[in-house]
């Protein structure tokens, strides 16, 4: 069963707002076995909306629209729906009473106007979906077996309508297959290298099980998807195939997306083994510390961080010898190792992470090329650094380095 999503509004097309509504709707539909076939964004333009509706009608059993339901003249969705369904607007007493109640309770400083009352005008053929959080009601139409749903574009209003009214109505009105996903998270190996390892396994997947590679910032998510009429058959097949993966990529697997993130896994391992951690961060600017301390209970293992962004801070606070900086440059394995070793000593921890590198856009205090980073891990038995090239985009360099540093730490603390 297929659905299409149509987002209406010039503000989306000019980049003034980001379309988060489609992502939310897609996830909720997928949970009940409805696959989104296409997502379309259109202008607040009558012809454009009519064309999108007509095309979607030929491809999907459910068409969900968001936006264009406000009281101002640029919001033309209701009038265009009337034209599409050969309908007229009528006043809905329930909607009118709700709008008046909202103004009385929450907007008493602004008198209700005739324009606000016009929110109670809805197409006569529509089933009204009560919008408890706003003035624009949702609307449900059924035409030649296709359900058309029109919802306000305000995210929290739309989300409430989807969860409490639209999804239950789809479940009631349509027979749907089951859709099942299981996502395995990997770190430390690129998409193509993983694909080579998994080639034979992937070639022998059941025909109703599909594999997708989702690379992002130093990690690759492997999503197994299955679709069919029998839920238990899907569960058994996906679990059977997932159990084969540790033998093939066990060295880079870090759980599933529904389980723990990498930082959660690090936190759990450190806490479980009674170990402590400090960080000394340069170009990552405290992001490693930020991700770890965002988790509850971080004080059990995380003792602190020195964000030594400037070279003089590395020398004066972390006591990195100036002659080491002069000889090897501030972006070097030697400096990274000194940072990790010294912050571990300074904060009296079992382990330490250090980062130094050039995230760009200019070279800064080192001649190292943009994207060159060194990540060091200090342990109770020693310290070692590794060099990486993280590309040439500043934000990606930082995020990939944070993920790689946590990956390296997890490997070290798992050895105990």
């Amino acid at each position: 069963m297929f659905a299409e999503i149509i987002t209406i509004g010039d503000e989306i097309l000019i980049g003034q707002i980001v379309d988060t509504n489609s992502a939310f709707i897609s996830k909720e539909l997928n949970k009940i076995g409805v696959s989104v076939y296409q997502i379309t964004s259109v202008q607040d333009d009558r012809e454009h909306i009519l064309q999108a509706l007509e095309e979607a009608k030929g491809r999907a059993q459910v068409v969900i629209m968001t936006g264009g339901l406000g009281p101002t003249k640029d919001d033309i969705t209701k009038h265009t729906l009337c034209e599409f369904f050969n309908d007229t607007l009528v006043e809905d007493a329930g909607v009118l009473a709700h709008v008046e109640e909202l103004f009385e309770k929450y907007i008493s400083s602004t008198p209700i106007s005739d324009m606000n009352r016009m929110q109670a005008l809805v197409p006569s053929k529509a089933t009204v979906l009560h919008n408890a959080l706003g003035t624009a009601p949702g609307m449900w139409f059924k035409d030649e077996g296709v359900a058309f749903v029109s919802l306000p574009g305000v995210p929290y209003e739309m989300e409430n309508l989807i969860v409490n009214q639209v999804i239950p109505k789809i479940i009631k009105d349509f027979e749907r297959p089951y859709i099942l996903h299981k996502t395995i998270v990997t770190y430390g190996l690129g998409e193509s290298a993983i694909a080579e390892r998994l080639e034979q396994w992937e070639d022998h997947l059941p025909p109703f099980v599909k594999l997708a590679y989702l690379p992002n910032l130093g990690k690759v998510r492997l999503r197994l998807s299955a679709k069919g009429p029998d839920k238990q058959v899907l569960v058994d097949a996906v679990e059977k195939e997932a159990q084969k993966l540790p033998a093939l990529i066990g060295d880079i697997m870090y759980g599933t997306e529904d389980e723990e993130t990498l930082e959660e896994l690090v936190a759990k391992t450190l806490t479980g083994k009674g170990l402590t951690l400090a960080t000394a961060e340069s170009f990552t600017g405290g992001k490693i510390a930020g991700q770890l301390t965002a988790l509850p209970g971080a004080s059990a293992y995380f003792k602190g961080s020195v964000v030594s962004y400037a070279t003089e801070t590395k020398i004066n606070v972390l006591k990195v010898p100036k002659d080491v900086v002069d000889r090897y440059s501030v972006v070097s394995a030697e400096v990274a190792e000194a940072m990790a070793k010294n912050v571990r000593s300074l904060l009296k921890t079992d382990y330490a992470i250090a980062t130094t590198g050039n995230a760009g856009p200019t070279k800064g205090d080192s001649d190292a090329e943009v994207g060159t980073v060194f990540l060091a891990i200090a342990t109770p038995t020693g310290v070692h650094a590794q060099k990486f090239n993280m590309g040439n985009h500043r934000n990606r360099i930082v995020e990939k380095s944070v993920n790689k540093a946590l990956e390296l730490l997890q490997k070290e603390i798992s050895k105990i």
Side-chain angles (χ1 to χ4, degrees):
M1 179 178 172
F2 291 109
E4 289 210 17
I5 301 170
I6 301 173
T7 59
I8 300 170
D10 295 346
E11 63 274 14
I12 297 172
L13 296 171
I14 65 174
Q16 191 172 23
I17 66 169
V18 176
D19 173 26
T20 58
N21 285 351
S22 294
F24 179 85
I25 295 169
S26 297
K27 288 180 181 178
E28 294 304 310
L29 290 173
N30 199 262
K31 291 176 184 178
I32 62 167
V34 180
S35 301
V36 174
Y37 183 82
Q38 184 166 307
I39 299 173
T40 305
S41 294
V42 301
Q43 299 173 329
D44 290 295
D45 175 80
R46 166 188 160 276
E47 290 187 7
H48 201 176
I49 296 171
L50 289 173
Q51 180 182 351
L53 289 170
E54 188 62 40
E55 291 176 354
K57 182 179 179 180
R59 294 186 295 246
Q61 292 77 53
V62 177
V63 180
I64 299 180
M65 299 161 280
T66 66
L69 296 180
T72 54
K73 290 182 179 179
D74 63 323
D75 291 308
I76 63 171
T77 299
K78 285 193 290 189
H79 296 282
T80 308
L81 286 169
C82 281
E83 183 175 349
F84 186 74
F85 293 111
N86 191 25
D87 200 359
T88 57
L89 293 174
V90 297
E91 185 178 278
D92 185 284
V95 176
L96 180 59
H98 175 63
V99 172
E100 291 176 339
E101 181 185 12
L102 287 177
F103 268 81
E104 183 180 350
K105 281 187 174 181
Y106 305 111
I107 324 175
S108 55
S109 59
T110 304
I112 189 170
S113 67
D114 290 341
M115 185 176 291
N116 299 128
R117 291 189 176 93
M118 287 175 63
Q119 291 287 67
L121 295 177
V122 298
S124 67
K125 297 178 181 179
T127 298
V128 172
L129 306 176
H130 176 58
N131 179 7
L133 305 179
T135 61
M139 294 170 287
W140 175 290
F141 303 82
K142 200 74 175 286
D143 184 65
E144 298 179 6
V146 179
F148 292 83
V149 186
S150 180
L151 302 173
V154 180
Y156 70 90
E157 295 181 24
M158 177 277 302
E159 291 171 8
N160 182 66
L161 282 162
I162 283 287
V163 171
N164 294 307
Q165 298 203 48
V166 177
I167 294 298
K169 197 162 177 58
I170 293 173
I171 292 172
K172 180 181 177 182
D173 287 12
F174 293 93
E175 291 187 8
R176 297 147 289 105
Y178 291 97
I179 299 176
L180 179 69
H181 300 292
K182 186 181 184 70
T183 302
I184 293 90
V185 182
T186 72
Y187 285 85
L189 205 60
E191 177 184 9
S192 59
I194 296 174
E196 287 183 10
R197 288 200 197 182
L198 299 182
E199 184 175 6
Q200 290 189 10
W201 169 81
E202 186 177 356
D203 288 343
H204 290 87
L205 287 173
F208 57 89
V209 178
K210 307 298 181 185
L211 175 66
Y213 294 84
L214 309 170
N216 183 38
L217 299 174
K219 66 180 179 182
V220 179
R221 291 175 295 160
L222 306 174
R223 188 188 67 224
L224 283 167
S225 300
K227 185 176 181 180
D230 190 322
K231 182 178 180 180
Q232 194 57 49
V233 169
L234 305 184
V235 171
D236 292 343
V238 169
E239 286 302 318
K240 181 180 179 181
E241 295 304 324
Q243 289 172 9
K244 299 175 184 177
L245 289 175
L248 301 171
I249 55 170
D251 58 319
I252 59 169
M253 285 177 58
Y254 287 84
T256 70
E257 199 166 57
D258 295 330
E259 296 174 353
E260 297 163 324
T261 63
L262 181 55
E263 54 266 34
E264 287 171 338
L265 183 59
V266 166
K268 179 180 177 180
T269 306
L270 288 169
T271 303
K273 296 183 177 184
L275 301 171
T276 55
L277 174 70
T279 63
E281 301 186 55
S282 182
F283 72 98
T284 51
K287 286 187 176 294
I288 297 172
Q291 287 191 199
L292 292 171
T293 56
L295 302 173
S299 60
Y301 63 88
F302 189 73
K303 298 307 176 186
S305 177
V306 176
V307 181
S308 53
Y309 204 74
T311 300
E312 56 265 32
T313 307
K314 297 177 179 66
I315 295 171
N316 296 330
V317 177
L318 286 176
K319 307 303 180 184
V320 176
K322 186 176 184 302
D323 63 314
V324 171
V325 174
D326 292 340
R327 182 176 180 182
Y328 298 104
S329 99
V330 72
V331 179
S332 63
E334 289 77 10
V335 167
E337 289 177 354
M339 290 170 64
K341 178 181 177 181
N342 293 351
V343 79
R344 177 177 177 268
S345 175
L346 176 66
L347 298 181
K348 297 178 173 57
T349 59
D350 298 300
Y351 288 82
I353 296 173
T355 69
T356 183
N358 186 354
T362 58
K363 290 187 176 182
D365 292 343
S366 171
D367 289 332
E369 294 296 324
V370 172
T372 302
V373 307
F374 289 87
L375 308 176
I377 306 293
T379 76
T381 59
V383 59
H384 62 276
Q386 293 187 47
K387 178 181 178 180
F388 301 93
N389 189 316
M390 298 298 189
N392 55 16
H393 186 278
R394 182 176 178 82
N395 290 339
R396 289 181 63 84
I397 292 168
V398 172
E399 294 300 327
K400 288 172 70 175
S401 298
V402 169
N403 286 338
K404 177 58 72 172
L406 291 172
E407 175 200 333
L408 294 175
L409 175 65
Q410 177 61 23
K411 287 181 177 178
E412 285 295 331
I413 58 181
S414 296
K415 294 176 181 178
I416 299 178

